[in-house]
Amino acid sequence: MAVGRTPMQPGLLSSTVGFCEGRLAPNSIYAVLHRECRALFPDEMFADLFAEDGRRSVPPMIVAVVMVLQRLEGLSDREAVERFAFDVRWKYAAGGLDFDHPGFVHTVLVDMRARLAASARPNRIFERTVEVAAQAGLVGRRRVLDSAPIYDAVATQDTITLIRSAIRGLLRAADHVLRAELRAVISSGDAYTSTDKPVIDWTDAAEREALIDSRARDGFALLTVLDGRAVPGDVGQAARLLATVLGQDLEQDGGVFKIARKVAADRVISTVDPEARHGHKTVRRSFDGYKGHVAEEPDSEVITATEVTAGNAGDAEPAADLLADVLQPPAAEQADQARAEVYGDAAYGTGPLLAELDDAGARVMVKVQAANAPGGRFSKDAFTIDLEAGQVTCPNQMTAAIRPKSDGGGAACFKTACAACPLAAQCTTARNGRVITIGPHEEHLARGRARSADPVWLAAYRATRPKVERKIAHLMRRRHGGRRARVRGRAKIAADFSLLAAAVNVARLGVLGIMSTGSDKWAVAAG
């Protein structure tokens, strides 16, 4: 299929331009797309996705506009193509197409996403919005970081459902010869063809335990058949999932498999979407799915980078990737630029990230959690840590040497000094005295806590960091495709989240008055 070309000459009497002009605000997303869509998303931008000859595709610029509006309005593929067919604003946004411009089927959107995913630049629509903002001088070297839960699009499964579903997936992946060999070792009598739970008395503990044990034995028997054998990729993947499910939830007690009295650290919660995880946004607020991470330029409120991680990942884990553009040294012609400035809440105040920011020479505006101790006792901040001298001084002016550890940190043990200390009751209840643990990034954490207590620093932090909260609200305002994922799997959700960020960026650029000045140069309208 060859790349299609967007029509350049709308009909004199049938164009949507005359109808929409004056009815839509000049800074609306429909108006900015109408004015700039050909410069924002030219057909040539997608030429590498198509063959040089063949049947012409739907013009990629039109598809890109539909994808952007679809994500902003939280529509399914079928709803989006219907909106394009009957909503004059969408045709106006796609360059002022005629009222009777032909629509297209929803599979065109599916095909475009697949082509983008297989390309060298899968997030080019989002990257284009950042590139345009930078051309217009809207992207500096300040960044604010934040994340938000993205609820998965599947149901969380219990242990027996996970095991049966994983076994069913393995049988489905095997060819008919291997499937017959696998079925021969199943001893429970379960056919594993239905998603319905086995019919037992679920109030009877003995029956529940027998069910778990029998299905677990089926699973291990299947893995034994495959042990050491070369199998196709999809069979191997299904077998690994089954092994993970069996290993994370079960333990053997007296030769009987039972549900373990623990929760695995990286527990698979669904065989339909094995990458989804249990996550916590706060101590009391949990969710199942993924986390969407963003970096925002706080002055223009343009999103500069996005990432999606499993729900149990820490907020600081993808921070280096989100900040890659500002953590790199500026080019020679930009050497006089201000140094990078990074804002983040206490979730980003981890030792490794603080060390990376300090090493890059960034101005660190990241909050660090204050030290605390149980029972209102002396926190770690009450001790004087002298890393150069390799010692720690307690509130009673007793000193203990720091014993180094292999990870670069250490520990200072006060031992018997606490026995005769008049402040011991306010410090520790341990028989061997207070122990102060020194992390490998202790210097950066201490510096961060000191910064967080500075009123001037705190005022700048409070004036800037909340801006990203509003941007998160823009991203998550639609439940379908915003707060809840439209697709399954981290790669697809990451691409969808990137496209959502592109749509929000285009809307923001419209508010700022972005305009093309020719030769792929951009500016913001005066006033």
Side-chain angles (χ1 to χ4, degrees), residues 254-272:
V256 177
F257 289 103
K258 296 182 177 180
I259 296 178
R261 294 181 174 273
K262 61 181 177 63
V263 178
D266 196 35
R267 184 175 184 269
V268 173
I269 61 175
S270 171
T271 57
V272 180

Side-chain angles (χ1 to χ4, degrees), residues 158-434:
D158 58 28
T159 299
I160 190 62
T161 304
L162 281 171
I163 294 173
R164 294 189 69 252
S165 179
I167 291 175
R168 190 166 57 252
L170 176 57
L171 293 172
R172 188 167 52 244
D175 60 32
H176 68 283
V177 176
L178 179 58
R179 188 181 304 121
E181 188 177 352
L182 293 173
R183 285 195 175 280
V185 300
I186 292 176
S187 57
S188 67
D190 194 331
Y192 295 106
T193 55
S194 171
T195 59
D196 297 336
K197 284 187 177 180
V199 179
I200 65 167
D201 182 359
W202 290 95
T203 63
D204 188 328
E207 285 198 42
R208 293 198 306 270
E209 290 178 1
L211 177 66
I212 289 290
D213 180 65
S214 63
R215 273 42 174 195
R217 292 184 183 281
D218 284 350
F220 283 113
L222 297 181
L223 294 178
T224 301
V225 171
L226 299 176
D227 187 30
R229 295 173 58 166
V231 294
D234 52 347
V235 176
Q237 184 176 354
R240 285 190 293 272
L241 178 58
L242 175 58
T244 299
V245 167
L246 291 171
Q248 70 181 9
D249 283 355
L250 301 178
E251 61 184 7
Q252 215 169 3
D253 182 11
V256 177
F257 289 103
K258 296 182 177 180
I259 296 178
R261 294 181 174 273
K262 61 181 177 63
V263 178
D266 196 35
R267 184 175 184 269
V268 173
I269 61 175
S270 171
T271 57
V272 180
D273 189 353
E275 294 178 291
R277 293 292 184 271
H278 290 304
H280 283 86
K281 185 59 181 171
T282 65
V283 174
R284 293 182 176 84
R285 182 184 169 197
S286 62
F287 65 95
D288 292 334
Y290 298 85
K291 278 185 183 178
H293 306 260
V294 300
E296 179 197 55
E297 211 296 335
D299 295 323
S300 62
E301 298 186 24
V302 169
I303 299 172
T304 59
T306 66
E307 288 284 343
V308 169
T309 63
N312 60 351
D315 283 7
E317 289 184 29
D321 292 333
L322 293 170
L323 299 169
D325 58 333
V326 294
L327 292 187
Q328 294 176 352
E333 63 273 12
Q334 300 172 323
D336 60 341
Q337 282 189 341
R339 62 176 177 159
E341 188 172 288
V342 178
Y343 291 78
D345 60 22
Y348 296 92
T350 63
L353 179 58
L354 294 175
E356 187 162 2
L357 294 176
D358 283 337
D359 291 345
R363 185 184 180 205
V364 183
M365 302 296 293
V366 176
K367 227 175 187 183
V368 178
Q369 191 71 42
N372 60 77
R377 300 184 180 90
F378 291 129
S379 68
K380 190 175 182 178
D381 286 348
F383 293 73
T384 302
I385 301 173
D386 189 338
L387 296 176
E388 290 187 6
Q391 63 183 27
V392 177
T393 303
C394 77
N396 195 37
Q397 302 307 306
M398 302 298 292
T399 300
I402 299 174
R403 295 184 300 177
K405 294 182 179 179
S406 59
D407 64 355
C413 306
F414 286 86
K415 295 185 179 178
T416 55
C418 294
C421 179
L423 303 178
Q426 303 174 55
C427 188
T428 183
T429 58
R431 290 186 302 173
N432 295 326
R434 183 68 180 266

